[in-house]
Amino acid sequence: MTFIIPSRTIQLLALTGCLALAGAARAEDAISPPASPCELFATGLAGHTAMCCDGQGNVLATNYRHLGSVGKISQQDGAALLFDAPLAVAEPVEASSLVGIALDDDQRILVLDSQLGRVLRYAPESKMVTTLADRIQGRRFDSLFAIDIGPGGNIYFSEPERVSGGDATGSLYRFDVVTNRPVLLVDGLDQPTGISLSSDGKSLYVAESGRGQISVYGINQQDGTAEKVAAYFLTLLLDVDDPKEIGRLGHIAIDRRNWLYVSLWDRGEVAVIDTTNGKLIEVISCHSDSVFGLTLWQDALLMSIPEKEAIYRYDLRPLIGRHAP
């Protein structure tokens, strides 16, 4: 059963599974127990869930209630199923796993079908789901992961790896809305998973799981090409010797302060990096085995926790208070 817990009620609950980073006051000084910065937001998820916000505080989540679906979750209006991805003609029984989601300027929902390598678009007016792309130059996409919208409505998405080829065969693509086709943006990446564009669309951040790093690409505003300009090495920031200790990277998000939030998928943590100086701000622990999807709304970070089949809301205000200038 899916439910949403009002935030005032949550503050009174002793929630497990998240770590409160704010220090607890002494019992004799405290009027009431301090609220945890991490609250249960919604349950009822299936598989690995990606999320985005619609600008009004509503959360759009993939694999909601069952695989291959997209749901809308609102603390005011409750939760509802929006649509299901069309079943494949060749495998009509097997539901797809949707692992990436974004919202364009026309409020159309873009999702990525990981298993079938499809970029799908849902139009709320017609309630129709169409396939924007499932191949490039005749080759079908083998796996897709994350998606974001750039200037002019162009769509950026990642393909972690191809079945054919050797090492470091992951790629980034841009779906050009003018030509209505995908173009190769960057090739030769090592398991590119999460991606996030800066607010001005001039920088593209890419989580490369195979190398344990965040690669930064400058986007040419004239021709749309990308050039690598920087990299954040998570082995150095997290003080580990081997990228394998970091494990897989999930989704990433960037806020208005240019702080980058990186899902350390296999560690159940989120690393927060200040991209203005390349320094690690903090590591948020979820006290779970894994954390997958991330999205930001105002001063809160939403995280999908697969093992709990739930979304948690992390209050960023204590963290901002500790580190903002």
Side-chain angles (χ1 to χ4, degrees), residues 155-174:
I155 303 164
Y156 296 78
F157 58 98
S158 62
E159 182 183 35
E161 59 185 355
R162 303 180 208 161
V163 174
S164 58
D167 296 332
T169 58
S171 303
L172 294 177
Y173 303 96
R174 183 186 73 250

Side-chain angles (χ1 to χ4, degrees), residues 58-245:
N58 301 313
V59 178
L60 305 175
T62 66
N63 302 321
Y64 172 69
R65 294 184 182 170
H66 56 262
L67 292 179
S69 68
V70 172
K72 180 179 179 180
I73 303 171
S74 169
Q75 286 189 302
Q76 287 74 36
D77 303 324
L81 190 66
L82 291 181
F83 67 92
D84 287 310
L87 294 176
V89 176
E91 302 175 74
V93 179
E94 184 177 352
S96 298
S97 178
L98 306 179
V99 298
I101 188 169
L103 193 69
D104 70 13
D105 293 338
D106 295 320
Q107 299 302 295
R108 295 174 297 187
I109 302 173
L110 288 301
V111 293
L112 296 182
D113 181 342
S114 175
Q115 292 165 276
L116 300 179
R118 299 182 295 176
V119 182
L120 304 174
R121 183 168 64 190
Y122 170 77
E125 297 85 3
S126 64
K127 300 188 184 304
M128 295 291 293
V129 181
T130 56
T131 299
L132 286 186
D134 61 3
R135 65 193 70 202
I136 183 168
Q137 297 179 346
R139 180 187 70 83
R140 282 189 172 273
F141 296 122
D142 290 322
S143 64
L144 299 178
F145 195 95
I147 186 169
D148 203 358
I149 309 297
N154 290 320
I155 303 164
Y156 296 78
F157 58 98
S158 62
E159 182 183 35
E161 59 185 355
R162 303 180 208 161
V163 174
S164 58
D167 296 332
T169 58
S171 303
L172 294 177
Y173 303 96
R174 183 186 73 250
F175 183 88
D176 193 309
V177 294
V178 175
T179 63
N180 205 40
R181 64 184 180 88
V183 295
L184 177 64
L185 194 64
V186 181
D187 204 0
L189 300 177
D190 197 342
Q191 299 176 44
T193 48
I195 65 171
S196 185
L197 281 158
S198 59
S199 58
D200 59 8
K202 294 181 179 180
S203 298
L204 177 63
Y205 297 85
V206 183
E208 280 194 80
S209 286
R211 296 188 175 116
Q213 69 183 38
I214 305 297
S215 299
V216 188
Y217 292 87
I219 304 297
N220 188 306
Q221 301 300 295
Q222 301 299 319
D223 59 14
T225 56
E227 179 183 1
K228 189 171 181 177
V229 295
Y232 305 123
F233 300 99
L234 295 176
T235 50
L236 297 178
L237 293 176
L238 299 174
D239 194 23
V240 298
D241 297 326
D242 191 338
K244 292 181 180 178
E245 295 183 48

